[in-house]
Every structure is written in C-alpha cells, then in structure tokens.
C-alpha cells in the first residue's frame, strides 16, 4: 500500500547532540511492503523529493507509534534503528487505512514488538474504518466531513432544512436515516449513490415546495438497490409517476401525507410487498396494485369515493378502445417485453409516453388514459393484497378502484 503524505524526518541522535535540524515537512510517499526473501518481514519505504532512492525502515524496528492526533491526520512513527521519528501528515481516511494495515503487519508478525504501542492508545479497527455514525446533535458532525467508509448514517431530529451534500460522497452507504428534520428536497445526485438500500425520510417537509423535484428517483444506481422507502409524515400531495423506476422496492410507507391518488404506475413495481398509505385523502386505488403481489396493504383513514361519484361505464363504447395508433401498439410491445429504453436511445416524448403508461386490469399496458372507470370492489375477496388493514365501518365495505382497459375484452369483463 502507498500513502501520499507529508513527512518530516527527525533524527533523534542529532537532536540529542543539539545539532540544529533543518528538517521540514516534505511531500512524500510511504510504501508498506514485504521483504522478498523473508515473507515474515515487513518494511516501510520513505520517498521524497530530496530522497528519490528512498529510505527503508523495518517494521520490527519500530519502537513506538504516536496516534493521539490520528483524527487530525497526523501520526508519528518512532524507529529504534535508524533512530528516526517519521512525523506524518495525510488525509485522515487514507492515513487510517495505512495505520490499519501497519497494525495488521505488526499483529500478524513480530511478536516481540510491543503491541501496546498501538493497542494501548486505543486504535481499534472500528476507529480506523467506522461504518456506522449516529448524529443526535449538530455539534457531533465530524469537522473533516463524514468518513467515506460509512455504511449506516443516522441524522435524526436536528431540524435540518437542507440535505447535506457531503452525504453524496458516501459510496458505501446502505442505510440513510434523515427522519425528523425539515428537509424539502433531495438532490438529483443522490440517485447516483450505488449502495443505498434503505432510505428513511419520515417527518420532513418533502412536498412542501410545490415544484418538488423527484429527479433522484431516475438515478440508475438507486433504482437497482433501494428496497425500503419511508416517506411518512411529509407534505406530499402527488407521488411522482416515476416512483416505478425503483424496480427493487419492497417496502413503501407514505402514511400521513396529503395524497388523493396513487400513481397507476405503482403496479409496475413487481417487487413491492408492503405498502402503507393510511391517513391520506385517497379517493381511489389504482387497479394496477393487483399486479404487485402485495403481502400487506394499509389503507385506513382515507377518503374513498362512493360509488355514486364514479363515471358510468355506459359513457364509453368498446369501439373507442379499439382505436390504437401505431405508436401505441409499438409502445405496448416495448412495455410487454420490458425492453430497455432511455432518452439517449429514443426521443424524449416516447420515453414520457412509456413512463406514463397505465396498466389494465389484465396487467397489459394502457397508453390511452381516457378510458377508465372507477369501480367499487368488496375488500373481502378482492385480491389486491394478502393482508389488508382498513378501518372501514364494516368489513364488507368496498373500496373504489380506478380501472384502465387495454381492449374491449377487458372492458366488458
Ligand atoms: Zn387488458
């Protein structure tokens, strides 16, 4: 391993003889390696602009390690022979991984070296490469930014108004909890984080800004990894149609928002198993949900439309549904076979057409959203979810479902 750093070499013999040292910090490279002949022996090579050939320090000749200022990116390595102190300054994360490696060279090898040098000062692998961080107070934010090694980050109840952009650097992050803040917007770049599988955003102000930007949902990386999305207790009126891009989502919680409708595209998330939408203003459910194979659906405390409000089926003739343009026929084929499409392959208008498609009761795509009916379905016997939570007065109550039709055949059904 190589470490790019600045090093000041102090010769202790010179200092003890009171010889004035002209040492100063020089841009350097430290390399940790093994002796070719003796695999048990490790060494550190120090190169700098004035020492191009490098000086070799045997790890077993190390006498002491000073790591008090490791969190500020400084350590000192003291060697018995040559009697040098290497004062090292480097970027914290890199320095920590260098020290971790050095420690394993020591622990895995030279038993006579006093391990207390390292361990007594309390370096543990956890300090060197932290993977979890909980911040309960603004003063707890790390001065030098979040460690890049983080996998779990919890920033809870700090009244943060803005999404912290340094989170966007955390490529190893899998769980992000920003609950109980006042965040209005997630930056589009968030969608590029490659490992996020759980995102907790409950009790924030998402949706407060009417032009809420949901661009991050379009990130190819996030769409493949995100499994849990918690948006409870926000100000969301419209869940974006693009939500279906989260093609591995299993759990979606949107309780306590102001939704009056769910996007019909939800049915395109075939992995969705747990959906809770209680305490919204939902008037209908999209029929596409039948396609998800939900295990759990919570629709309690909503405002479902009564049968009387629904448009009459007789308002349409099956012939209307027969009329299909060539574009629609082609688009249906793309959707049926789940062909990959993106704005760099086909015109943007076609991408929008495909993205906004609805779903027929039979599961086929419907490009024309003109023909739909709102039909009451009895909750019992309606195979929308294995387990339904609702607080309707009697269990036999019906729920209004918005149905789209791909053909007169489905329409008549
Ligand atoms: Zn159909």
């Amino acid at each position: 391993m190589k470490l790019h750093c600045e090093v000041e070499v102090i010769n202790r013999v010179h200092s003890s003889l009171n010889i004035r040292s002209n040492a100063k910090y020089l841009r350097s490279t430290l390399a940790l390696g093994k002796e070719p002949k003796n695999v048990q022996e490790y060494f550190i090579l120090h190169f700098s602009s004035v020492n191009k050939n490098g000086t070799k320090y045997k790890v077993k000749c190390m006498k002491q390690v000073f790591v008090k200022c490791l969190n500020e990116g400084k350590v000192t390595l003291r060697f018995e022979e040559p009697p040098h102190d290497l004062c090292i300054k480097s970027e914290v994360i890199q320095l920590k991984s260098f020290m971790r490696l050095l420690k394993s060279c020591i622990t895995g090898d030279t038993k006579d070296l006093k391990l207390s040098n390292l361990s007594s000062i309390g370096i543990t692998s956890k300090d060197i490469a932290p993977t979890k961080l909980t911040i309960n107070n603004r003063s707890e934010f790390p001065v030098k930014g979040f460690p890049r090694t983080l996998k779990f980050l919890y920033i809870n109840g700090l009244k943060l108004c803005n999404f912290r952009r340094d989170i966007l650097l955390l490529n190893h992050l899998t769980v992000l909890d920003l609950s109980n803040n006042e965040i209005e917007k997630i930056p589009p770049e968030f969608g590029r984080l490659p490992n996020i599988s759980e995102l907790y955003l409950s009790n924030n102000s998402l949706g407060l800004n009417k032009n809420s930007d949901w661009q991050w949902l379009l990130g190819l990386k996030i769409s493949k990894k995100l499994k849990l999305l918690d948006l409870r207790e926000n100000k969301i009126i419209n869940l974006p149609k693009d939500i279906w891009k989260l093609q591995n989502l299993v759990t979606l919680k949107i309780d306590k928002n102001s939704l009056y409708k769910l996007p019909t595209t939800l049915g395109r998330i075939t992995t969705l198993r747990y959906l809770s939408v209680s305490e919204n203003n939902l008037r209908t459910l999209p029929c596409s949900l039948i396609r998800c194979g939900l295990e759990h659906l919570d629709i309690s405390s909503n405002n479902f439309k009564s049968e009387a409000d629904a448009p009459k089926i007789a308002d349409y003739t099956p012939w209307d549904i027969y009329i299909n343009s060539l574009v629609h026929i082609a688009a249906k084929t793309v959707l049926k076979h789940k062909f990959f499409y993106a704005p760099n392959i086909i015109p943007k208008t076609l991408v929008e057409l495909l993205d906004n498609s609805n779903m027929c009761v039979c599961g086929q795509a419907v490009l024309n959203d003109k023909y739909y009916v709102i039909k009451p379905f009895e909750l019992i016997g309606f195979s929308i979810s294995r387990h339904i939570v609702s607080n309707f007065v009697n269990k036999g109550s019906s729920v209004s479902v918005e149905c789209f039709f791909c053909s007169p055949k489905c329409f008549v059904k």
Side-chain angles (χ1 to χ4, degrees):
M1 182 193 176
K2 277 185 184 167
L3 175 73
H4 298 285
C5 52
E6 286 179 48
V7 176
E8 180 181 350
V9 183
I10 296 170
N11 188 325
R12 293 194 304 279
V13 178
H14 288 187
S15 338
S16 63
L17 296 174
N18 241 344
I19 297 172
R20 200 171 63 91
S21 155
N22 47 13
K24 56 182 177 188
Y25 278 100
L26 290 174
R27 191 167 290 214
S28 305
T29 303
L30 290 178
L32 192 58
K34 261 183 194 173
E35 289 286 359
K37 284 177 199 153
N38 183 353
V39 285
Q40 298 288 304
E41 202 157 287
Y42 298 90
F43 60 85
I44 294 171
L45 265 175
H46 171 224
F47 299 97
S48 69
S49 48
V50 296
N51 178 9
K52 294 227 162 70
N53 293 328
T55 308
K56 195 188 255 185
Y57 297 91
K58 286 181 180 169
V59 169
K60 68 173 182 185
C61 297
M62 207 187 305
K63 199 173 149 195
Q64 222 171 339
V65 180
F66 302 90
V67 288
K68 217 174 184 176
C69 301
L70 183 58
N71 282 325
E72 291 154 36
K74 291 182 208 165
V75 292
T76 298
L77 308 180
R78 173 163 290 174
F79 291 90
E80 185 85 65
E81 185 51 49
H84 287 179
D85 282 359
L86 300 187
C87 307
I88 304 163
K89 282 203 268 192
S90 180
E91 194 269 325
V92 183
I93 301 296
Q94 289 210 28
L95 184 59
K96 283 184 174 178
S97 41
F98 183 82
M99 293 305 291
R100 188 177 43 189
L101 200 65
L102 181 59
K103 190 188 172 189
S104 66
C105 289
I106 297 164
T107 50
D109 179 32
T110 330
K111 292 200 175 59
D112 49 16
L113 185 86
K114 278 182 192 131
L115 289 179
S116 58
N117 288 347
L118 277 173
S119 54
S120 67
I121 315 163
I123 302 188
T124 64
S125 60
K126 216 174 132 201
D127 293 333
I128 291 169
T131 55
K132 192 173 167 183
L133 183 63
T134 304
I135 292 178
N136 297 311
N137 195 306
R138 283 186 189 233
S139 62
E140 291 170 15
F141 280 113
V143 186
K144 295 215 166 180
F146 296 119
R148 303 282 174 92
T149 46
L150 285 185
K151 288 185 180 168
F152 307 89
L153 178 58
Y154 306 89
I155 306 176
N156 243 294
L158 299 190
K159 296 195 170 171
L160 283 187
C161 293
N162 293 314
F163 185 96
R164 284 182 63 106
R165 295 198 63 93
D166 42 0
I167 293 172
L168 302 175
L169 302 170
L170 304 177
N171 280 332
H172 298 284
L173 205 59
T174 59
V175 175
L176 176 61
D177 185 350
L178 297 172
S179 303
N180 308 313
N181 283 293
E182 288 168 8
I183 294 167
E184 284 182 30
K185 200 181 152 183
I186 306 295
E189 297 89 338
F190 182 71
R192 290 189 210 145
L193 282 182
N195 287 305
I196 299 283
S197 77
E198 294 178 20
L199 178 59
Y200 299 89
L201 294 166
S202 66
N203 196 11
N204 272 284
S205 300
L206 295 169
L208 191 66
N209 178 348
K210 288 282 181 297
N211 304 316
S212 291
D213 196 348
W214 292 90
Q215 276 272 324
W216 63 273
L217 286 175
L218 304 178
L220 278 181
K221 296 272 170 70
I222 203 132
S223 64
K224 292 202 177 94
K225 289 280 174 166
L226 196 66
K227 288 202 159 74
L228 183 150
L229 179 58
D230 184 351
L231 297 169
R232 285 174 297 168
E233 291 186 71
N234 275 279
K235 314 276 184 286
I236 303 167
I237 298 171
N238 264 317
L239 199 62
K241 278 198 156 191
D242 286 323
I243 191 94
W244 75 269
K245 302 260 170 158
L246 301 173
Q247 280 293 293
N248 277 305
L249 199 64
V250 177
T251 302
L252 178 59
K253 298 178 182 183
I254 348 168
D255 314 70
K256 298 189 183 180
N257 276 282
S258 308
L259 297 172
Y260 64 93
K261 194 176 172 176
L262 290 174
T264 54
T265 49
L266 262 188
R268 290 169 78 175
I269 311 177
T270 49
T271 49
L272 197 63
R273 294 293 174 271
Y274 184 106
L275 175 65
S276 61
V277 284
S278 67
E279 297 187 55
N280 278 282
N281 298 318
L282 289 184
R283 289 164 69 73
T284 59
L285 287 180
C287 70
S288 65
L289 283 184
I290 305 172
R291 295 282 140 195
C292 293
L294 289 175
E295 296 278 334
H296 179 101
L297 172 67
D298 186 347
I299 48 172
S300 44
S301 301
N302 274 287
N303 191 16
F304 287 105
K305 229 176 179 180
S306 73
E307 213 177 318
D309 301 332
K312 289 191 187 72
I313 297 177
D315 289 350
Y316 311 125
T317 67
W319 286 104
D320 293 330
I321 301 167
Y322 268 128
I323 303 163
N324 251 326
S325 70
L326 195 56
V327 172
H328 282 193
I329 294 166
K332 278 184 183 183
T333 308
V334 169
L335 291 165
K336 186 180 172 187
H337 297 285
K338 293 192 171 175
F339 292 143
F340 178 77
Y341 62 86
N344 56 348
I345 304 172
I346 53 170
K348 211 179 156 216
T349 46
L350 288 182
V351 172
E352 278 166 16
L353 179 76
L354 290 162
D355 277 358
N356 291 331
S357 74
N358 292 305
M359 204 186 261
C360 175
V361 275
C362 74
Q364 294 255 34
V366 179
L367 277 304
N368 198 334
D369 57 8
K370 236 161 71 189
Y371 308 113
Y372 73 96
V373 290
I374 293 169
K375 263 175 118 174
F377 278 90
E378 293 286 310
L379 272 182
I380 296 168
F382 180 41
S383 55
I384 200 162
S385 167
R386 207 202 293 220
H387 181 230
I388 300 179
V389 181
S390 75
N391 57 350
F392 302 149
V393 188
N394 59 64
K395 285 282 172 194
S397 289
S398 59
V399 54
S400 303
V401 178
E402 194 182 18
C403 304
F404 290 85
F405 305 101
C406 70
S407 66
K409 213 167 138 193
C410 291
F411 184 73
V412 172
K413 246 199 277 179

